[in-house]
């Protein structure tokens, strides 16, 4: 297994090119199940989760090539509809094939994803919504078996909780349903917006894009004549590198970004004392001489993103004063805390709230990545710790960050990937 060795007291400088968004790419790849003929998707990040979902689609019969961030795919050959445990257990977002497979074929089996580090991650809202659209859903031997032999029927869906992949699943199912589906309490994340925009640009009638009420007029199982497209930039990758600049008190420019996706992240960094120079599709961060403590509550978009919680928690260890971070979306998303404490951080967790005493000198040691975003938080802390830090189990990091150590090394970080 690989690990990262990082020298502390790092200074960064220069520019980083941002990759396509993993969490936009995953539903967009699942969406190709709805497409007629060949399709090209560009700016696709070469990360493990993307390769896993492509492998799943290949197992179902899709044909594709994926190189240099370009995917050429044709799903007309899909003739299996069972997403097996061996793949689904490695990536819960595989559940995104449920809606499209059911809508196109009228039946499918998708393994229940099983446990996840950051929380129980149920899919009850996905299943309840599909049942409401006429599907018969049973759970057998760890698999979701879904059947809708006469097709799905559009209806009103009210999500009890805002769910990103739940919204994506139902948007895709509704695109091929008979009649109109209204989704109330829909997720408004940019990743969901892009999925809706691509479907609309391909001829599916969707109203309310970017709002909490989506109205989708289905094609009654007619496949979509899908247009090729490019994946939006990864707002969480952007936020992660902004935190790298802030924590090392370095000026850094990020290219290929979407400013309109970064409101909550930029606002919180400004509150901590950073300032910004904004370009058309670039952003330069000017670090705070003294990082101010803050209070953060994670929320659904456009609120502060839970996927930035770990990175800001690492940053808060270097702020002047005491910060608090309340994690409202997941029940177990503080596993980076005990690893940061190994580096010397002064953090107390009480229920869903972490209290971070700032201006703490960190000292390098061996630490262990526990999940995707926790891994990047450890990289940030290691760059300001005294001495050397080794971060183990970085297969978590490789799921969602493209060439992270190469991008940081190119702007001055002393970071290398080694074999255990
Ligand atoms: C997406 O996960 C992202 N993953 C997550 O990013 C992100 O943290 C999360 O949205 C929240 O923004 C992808 O897009 C692939 P949810 P998702 O359904 O869709 C509860 C990363 O680091 N819920 O919006 O699985 C759930 O337990 C990953 O890139 C139900 O109760 O999240 C959670 O408390 C981690 N029942 C809340 O809703 C359901 O059926 C939000 O979950 C579905 C969800």
């Amino acid at each position: 297994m690989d690990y990262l060795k990082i020298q502390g007291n790092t200074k960064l400088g220069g520019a980083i090119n941002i990759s396509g968004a993993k969490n936009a790419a995953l539903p967009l790849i699942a969406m190709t199940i709805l497409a007629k003929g060949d399709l090209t998707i560009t700016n696709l990040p070469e990360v493990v989760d993307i390769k896993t979902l492509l492998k799943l689609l290949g197992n179902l019969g899709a044909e594709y090539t994926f190189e240099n961030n370009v995917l050429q795919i044709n799903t007309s050959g899909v003739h299996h509809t069972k997403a097996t445990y061996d793949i689904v257990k490695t990536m819960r977002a595989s559940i995104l094939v449920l809606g499209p497979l059911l809508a196109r074929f009228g039946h499918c089996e998708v393994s229940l994803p099983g446990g996840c580090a950051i929380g129980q991650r149920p899919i009850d809202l996905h299943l309840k919504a599909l049942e409401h659209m006429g599907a018969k859903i049973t759970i057998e031997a760890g698999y979701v078996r879904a059947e809708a032999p006469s097709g799905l029927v559009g209806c009103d869906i009210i999500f009890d909780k805002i769910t990103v992949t739940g919204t994506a699943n139902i948007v895709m199912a509704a695109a091929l349903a008979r009649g109109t589906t209204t989704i109330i309490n829909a997720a408004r994340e940019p990743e969901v917006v892009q999925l809706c925009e691509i479907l609309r640009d391909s001829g599916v009638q969707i109203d309310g894009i970017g709002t909490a009420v989506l109205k989708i007029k289905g094609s009654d199982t007619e496949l979509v004549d899908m247009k090729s497209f490019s994946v939006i930039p990864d707002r969480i990758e952007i936020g992660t590198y902004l935190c790298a600049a802030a924590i090392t008190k370095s000026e850094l420019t990020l290219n290929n970004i979407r400013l309109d996706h970064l409101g909550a992240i930029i606002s919180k960094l400004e509150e901590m004392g950073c300032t910004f120079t904004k370009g058309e599709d670039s952003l330069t961060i000017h670090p705070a001489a003294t990082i101010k403590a803050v209070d953060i509550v994670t929320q659904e978009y456009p609120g502060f993103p839970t996927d930035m919680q770990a990175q800001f928690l690492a940053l808060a260890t270097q702020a002047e004063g005491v910060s608090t971070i309340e994690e409202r979306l997941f029940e177990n998303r503080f596993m980076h805390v005990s690893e940061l404490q190994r580096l010397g951080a002064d953090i107390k967790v009480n229920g869903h709230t972490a209290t971070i005493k700032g201006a703490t000198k960190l000292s390098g040691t061996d630490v262990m990545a526990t999940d995707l975003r926790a891994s990047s938080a450890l990289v940030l802390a290691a760059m300001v710790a005294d001495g050397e830090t080794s971060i183990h189990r970085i297969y978590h990091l490789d799921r969602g960050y493209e060439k992270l150590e190469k991008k940081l090394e190119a702007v001055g970080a002393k970071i290398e990937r080694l074999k255990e």
Side-chain angles (χ1 to χ4, degrees):
M1 275 200 281
D2 294 355
Y3 72 99
L4 290 178
K5 186 187 280 186
I6 298 169
Q7 300 304 327
N9 301 311
T10 300
K11 272 286 170 231
L12 304 176
I16 292 179
N17 287 331
I18 295 299
S19 302
K22 163 189 78 94
N23 288 350
L26 291 170
L28 290 169
I29 291 169
M31 178 194 69
T32 63
I33 292 170
L34 308 176
K36 283 180 197 156
D38 294 327
L39 190 60
T40 303
I41 303 178
T42 55
N43 199 36
L44 206 60
E46 298 206 13
V47 296
V48 169
D49 275 7
I50 298 300
K51 293 173 188 164
T52 302
L53 187 56
L54 287 173
K55 187 168 167 232
L56 193 166
L57 286 192
N59 289 354
L60 300 180
E63 290 178 351
Y64 68 87
T65 60
F66 179 41
E67 47 203 22
N68 304 322
N69 302 104
V70 177
L71 172 69
Q72 310 270 8
I73 189 165
N74 185 315
T75 62
S76 47
V78 170
H79 46 276
H80 294 300
T81 60
K82 181 170 185 176
T84 52
Y85 178 66
D86 59 318
I87 289 199
V88 176
K89 74 173 189 281
T90 65
M91 196 206 37
R92 1 179 5 77
S94 310
I95 196 64
L96 282 162
V97 302
L98 177 63
L101 285 175
L102 181 59
R104 175 170 164 184
F105 295 100
H107 60 87
C108 66
E109 283 183 273
V110 179
S111 166
L112 282 169
C116 162
I118 64 175
Q120 210 253 328
R121 310 291 294 277
I123 55 167
D124 57 310
L125 300 177
H126 300 234
L127 304 184
K128 213 164 80 178
L130 289 170
E131 280 178 327
H132 211 47
M133 296 176 76
K136 183 170 163 296
I137 305 258
T138 52
I139 308 284
E140 283 169 32
Y143 279 79
V144 173
R145 283 174 60 86
E147 287 169 344
S150 45
L152 294 170
V153 180
C155 63
D156 289 357
I157 302 278
I158 301 178
F159 275 128
D160 298 343
K161 283 171 108 169
I162 294 172
T163 163
V164 174
T165 49
T167 302
N169 239 333
I170 300 309
V171 164
M172 292 188 280
L176 261 57
R178 195 165 51 254
T180 297
T181 300
T182 301
I183 304 175
I184 296 154
N185 205 20
R188 297 161 56 195
E189 273 68 3
E191 297 76 33
V192 172
V193 168
Q194 181 169 36
L195 176 74
C196 293
E197 287 173 340
I198 303 295
L199 285 169
R200 177 200 59 198
D201 297 348
S202 303
V204 177
Q205 191 180 320
I206 302 185
D207 298 313
I209 296 178
T211 76
V213 180
L214 292 170
K215 224 182 249 298
I216 303 109
K217 189 170 179 308
S219 69
D220 193 1
T221 70
E222 172 70 28
L223 290 181
V224 179
D225 194 2
M226 215 158 279
K227 301 273 173 290
S228 294
F229 56 88
S230 180
V231 178
I232 55 172
D234 191 322
R235 61 194 169 97
I236 304 304
E237 185 191 18
I238 295 165
T240 303
Y241 292 129
L242 290 176
C243 287
I247 201 170
T248 58
K249 302 198 174 171
S250 311
E251 184 167 289
L252 205 56
T253 294
L254 304 183
N255 294 317
N256 315 325
I257 64 139
R258 278 281 298 269
L259 272 175
D260 56 325
H261 295 166
L262 303 172
I265 295 171
I266 288 177
S267 151
K268 202 47 80 175
L269 285 168
E270 284 173 335
E271 210 180 310
M272 297 178 94
C274 299
T275 57
F276 294 88
T277 305
K278 299 174 182 177
E280 184 68 24
D281 63 352
S282 69
L283 181 66
T284 299
I285 178 170
H286 311 287
T290 307
I291 303 168
K292 298 189 188 85
V294 280
D295 297 319
I296 290 173
V297 180
T298 64
Q299 320 222 355
E300 296 85 1
Y301 192 89
F304 185 91
T306 174
D307 292 349
M308 284 303 306
Q309 181 257 99
Q311 300 91 313
F312 271 79
L313 199 150
L315 178 55
T317 68
Q318 303 307 302
E320 286 301 313
V322 177
S323 301
T324 63
I325 298 185
E326 184 186 347
E327 172 54 63
R328 283 210 178 149
L329 272 81
F330 292 110
E331 60 269 33
N332 188 32
R333 202 169 195 175
F334 282 132
M335 282 175 302
H336 37 287
V337 168
S338 44
E339 298 305 312
L340 289 168
Q341 286 166 335
R342 283 181 50 71
L343 292 167
D346 183 344
I347 308 165
K348 289 193 179 36
V349 175
N350 184 356
H352 291 274
T353 300
T355 302
I356 307 102
K357 190 167 168 299
T360 316
K361 197 75 208 104
L362 302 179
S363 314
T365 185
D366 285 83
V367 290
M368 187 179 76
T370 51
D371 58 84
L372 170 57
R373 305 306 173 182
S375 325
S376 64
L378 296 176
V379 172
L380 301 181
M383 287 195 292
V384 292
D386 279 341
E388 188 175 276
T389 298
S390 293
I391 304 176
H392 303 276
R393 300 194 185 181
I394 54 162
Y395 55 83
H396 291 289
L397 193 81
D398 295 337
R399 295 188 51 172
Y401 286 99
E402 187 177 51
K403 302 189 183 87
L404 177 132
E405 75 273 11
K406 292 264 176 285
K407 292 186 178 186
L408 283 173
E409 194 182 22
V411 291
K414 298 184 281 302
I415 181 171
E416 51 182 330
R417 179 184 286 255
L418 301 168
K419 293 275 178 223
E420 299 278 12

